[in-house]
């Protein structure tokens, strides 16, 4: 599976049922042609999960200036097929599939992906990236769920697993929040070394002790900040302020934050909301982070967690220095998990509410961002755009 790893790098993770000797990841671009002399070879890092699960991972790049990059994994004389990641430049339209919360609903997730695939077939090309806003599985310690809930559907419906990179946002089900050694973040340490790509083999990663999921990346003319809603920390708060103030974010045409738990939740299980204190989950997102979103000109906040679709566009009420005085909040938690129908709060702010499975296509061009939400049949349920 391929993940965006900061700007101009990709993180590739694969698994075998037995230790596979000395595998090599090869990558090259169209500019390199495909001759062996022009290829880059990377020795992956290895982590033994158990006797039947052996995980390999490698970061490659920089790929700046190369809209098409290719890679494959070779082990002795048995290479995989060639995979290709397409990433348009800023002057072209970048298509992003936006999904969240497919956990515990693999058949529903396949239906969502099939609906999205039909839309992309009509458009004539696949997505350039997938923004997954968390909760890809239900139980982080169940290895079988990674296969049935995420890997297999992504591969079987659309072939997204290898050829479309994920910008991943952690949820509350799909990563182990314990920071002790040998925790269960088997596939969720892809953002280790995001500011030091030589650090992937450190002992903290090998034994599972590493824990950092906040990161940022540019897609076309948009800058995306991904936050870890489950594990607030001083380090993440400092990262958020620094990134919001950065030239990369402030000079981006469109400024996006992705965080699993929404600042403003309206639908949940009523008992858990009132009696299990789940109404307090994510309060830091609303009380600490959201004022910063408004202060620094965030255009769009994308979340999951709540299993349905909502969208609100409201006045930002921040400094007048930005092109647009509005901020949009979108909840996209309908990729497969059981839909939430019970209202537990009313923030009197959402323009659209849809309680069924869905997916979103985010089209990012140089001067326009278009957001289009669809049900699994491909019928439109919401649309808005921002023009600059």
């Amino acid at each position: 599976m391929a993940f965006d790893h900061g700007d101009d790098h990709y993180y590739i993770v694969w698994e075998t049922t037995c230790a596979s000797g000395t595998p090599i990841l090869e990558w090259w671009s169209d500019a390199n042609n495909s001759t062996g002399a022009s290829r880059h070879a990377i020795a992956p890092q290895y982590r033994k999960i158990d006797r039947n699960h052996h995980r390999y991972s490698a970061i490659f790049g920089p790929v700046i200036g190369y809209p098409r990059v290719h890679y494959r994994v070779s082990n002795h004389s048995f290479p995989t097929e060639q995979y290709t990641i397409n990433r348009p430049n800023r002057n072209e339209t970048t298509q992003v599939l936006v999904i969240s919360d497919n956990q515990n609903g693999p058949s529903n997730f396949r239906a969502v992906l099939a609906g999205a695939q039909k839309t992309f077939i009509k458009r004539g090309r696949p997505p350039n990236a997938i923004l997954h806003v968390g909760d890809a599985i239900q139980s982080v310690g169940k290895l079988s769920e990674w296969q049935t809930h995420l890997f297999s559907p992504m591969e079987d419906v659309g072939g997204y697993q290898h050829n479309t990179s994920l910008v991943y946002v952690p949820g509350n089900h799909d990563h182990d929040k314990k920071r002790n050694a040998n925790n269960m973040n088997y596939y969720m340490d892809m953002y280790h070394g995001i500011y030091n790509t030589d650090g992937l083999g450190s002992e903290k990663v090998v034994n599972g002790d590493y824990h950092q999921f906040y990161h940022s990346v540019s897609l076309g003319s948009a800058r995306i900040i991904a936050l870890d809603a489950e594990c607030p920390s001083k380090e993440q708060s400092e990262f958020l302020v620094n990134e919001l103030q950065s030239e990369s974010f402030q000079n981006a045409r469109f400024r996006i934050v992705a965080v699993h738990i929404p600042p403003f939740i309206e639908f949940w299980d009523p008992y858990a909301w009132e009696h299990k204190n789940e109404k307090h989950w994510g309060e830091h997102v609303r009380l600490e982070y959201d004022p910063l979103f408004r202060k620094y000109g965030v255009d769009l906040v994308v979340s999951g967690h709540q299993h349905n679709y909502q969208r609100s566009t409201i006045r930002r009420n921040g400094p007048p220095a930005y092109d647009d005085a509005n901020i949009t909040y979108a909840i996209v938690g309908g990729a497969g998990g059981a839909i939430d129908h019970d209202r537990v709060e009313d923030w009197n702010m959402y323009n659209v509410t849809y309680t069924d499975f869905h997916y979103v296509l985010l089209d990012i061009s140089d001067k326009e961002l278009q957001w289009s939400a669809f049900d699994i049949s491909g019928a439109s349920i919401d649309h808005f755009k921002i023009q600059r």
Side-chain angles (χ1 to χ4, degrees):
M1 182 166 280
F3 297 86
D4 274 85
H5 191 270
D7 291 322
D8 306 314
H9 289 78
Y10 295 105
Y11 173 96
I12 309 299
V13 60
W14 67 96
E15 186 179 81
T16 60
T17 56
C18 60
S20 57
T22 55
I24 292 293
L25 183 140
E26 298 176 282
W27 75 274
W28 64 99
S29 69
D30 284 350
N32 298 135
N33 298 315
S34 58
T35 63
S38 299
R39 298 189 182 197
H40 308 273
I42 301 173
Q45 298 298 328
Y46 166 73
R47 180 182 178 188
K48 181 179 179 180
I49 296 175
D50 62 25
R51 61 182 297 179
N52 297 316
H53 295 82
H54 300 262
R55 195 207 68 181
Y56 298 85
S57 55
I59 298 169
F60 73 83
V63 299
I64 187 168
Y66 303 145
R68 283 165 53 90
V69 293
H70 316 281
Y71 72 95
R72 70 177 187 176
V73 175
S74 298
N75 188 22
H76 302 293
S77 57
F78 299 99
T80 65
E81 64 181 275
Q82 171 184 308
Y83 305 115
T84 299
I85 299 174
N86 292 287
R87 186 59 52 84
N89 61 42
R90 181 172 175 141
N91 296 322
E92 301 173 310
T93 298
T94 298
Q95 296 187 132
V96 183
L97 173 62
V98 185
I99 52 176
S100 185
D101 294 271
N102 52 284
Q103 86 275 25
N104 249 7
S107 60
N108 297 327
F109 186 37
R110 287 174 179 269
V112 169
L113 291 175
Q117 177 70 356
K118 291 178 181 178
T119 303
F120 287 118
I121 289 173
K122 291 179 181 178
R123 290 180 165 209
R125 61 187 179 99
N128 304 114
I130 296 174
L131 175 58
H132 195 304
V133 200
D135 279 1
I137 63 167
Q138 180 69 17
S139 303
V140 69
K142 292 185 178 179
L143 293 175
S144 61
E145 288 193 6
W146 289 99
Q147 188 66 41
T148 59
H149 292 199
L150 182 64
F151 299 152
S152 289
M154 291 280 286
E155 176 63 14
D156 296 343
V157 188
Y160 298 132
Q161 184 171 352
H162 305 294
N163 296 302
T164 305
S165 62
L166 271 74
V167 177
Y168 203 87
V169 182
N172 56 293
H173 284 282
D174 49 16
H175 74 296
D176 188 350
K177 292 169 281 294
K178 299 189 298 294
R179 288 173 168 82
N180 59 308
N182 297 307
N183 65 28
M184 294 180 288
N185 287 320
Y186 303 130
Y187 309 103
M188 290 294 294
D189 55 16
M190 74 286 291
Y191 296 111
H192 176 78
I194 193 142
Y195 303 113
N196 174 16
T197 56
D198 295 327
L200 190 63
S202 74
E203 185 63 26
K204 285 189 174 184
V205 171
V206 173
N207 69 18
D209 191 29
Y210 182 75
H211 192 282
Q212 176 193 312
F213 298 115
Y214 50 88
H215 58 102
S216 57
V217 66
S218 292
L219 294 179
S221 59
R223 185 72 173 173
I224 300 175
I225 299 174
L227 298 175
D228 182 355
E230 275 287 284
C231 298
S233 64
K234 176 184 177 183
E235 292 79 11
Q236 178 168 258
S237 295
E238 291 175 349
F239 161 82
L240 175 59
V241 172
N242 290 337
E243 182 65 28
L244 289 170
Q245 293 175 340
S246 70
E247 290 186 9
S248 296
F249 194 77
Q250 288 300 313
N251 292 340
R253 190 84 70 183
F254 305 104
R255 297 173 288 269
I256 301 172
V257 171
V259 57
H260 179 68
I261 299 179
F264 304 98
I265 297 174
E266 290 195 340
F267 290 82
W268 202 250
D269 174 75
Y271 181 83
W273 188 255
E274 293 293 343
H275 300 289
K276 293 186 176 181
N277 289 322
E278 293 184 9
K279 68 188 302 179
H280 300 296
W281 283 7
E283 281 186 338
H284 61 284
V285 178
R286 184 175 71 255
L287 299 178
E288 178 187 354
Y289 298 163
D290 185 54
L292 296 173
F293 301 162
R294 301 188 185 209
K295 177 179 178 180
Y296 289 106
V298 172
D299 297 304
L300 174 62
V301 180
V302 185
S303 301
H305 194 58
Q306 174 182 299
H307 291 190
N308 54 34
Y309 178 86
Q310 288 193 291
R311 195 263 297 177
S312 170
T313 299
I314 61 175
R315 301 288 291 181
R316 185 185 290 118
N317 296 325
Y322 295 100
D323 299 329
D324 191 333
N326 292 333
I327 182 171
T328 295
Y329 300 89
I331 299 173
V332 295
I339 296 296
D340 287 321
H341 294 280
D342 295 317
R343 183 182 290 275
V344 293
E345 296 284 354
D346 186 355
W347 292 99
N348 193 30
M349 62 182 284
Y350 287 104
N351 311 98
V352 180
T353 297
Y354 178 77
T355 53
D356 211 336
F357 302 112
H358 58 271
Y359 59 93
V360 171
L361 302 188
L362 178 60
D363 294 309
I364 305 167
S365 60
D366 185 27
K367 297 183 179 181
E368 184 175 81
L369 179 150
Q370 291 204 50
W371 172 278
S372 305
F374 301 90
D375 67 17
I376 58 174
S377 74
S380 175
I381 59 175
D382 189 28
H383 176 82
F384 76 91
K385 62 183 177 181
I386 303 172
Q387 293 177 312
R388 294 280 160 76

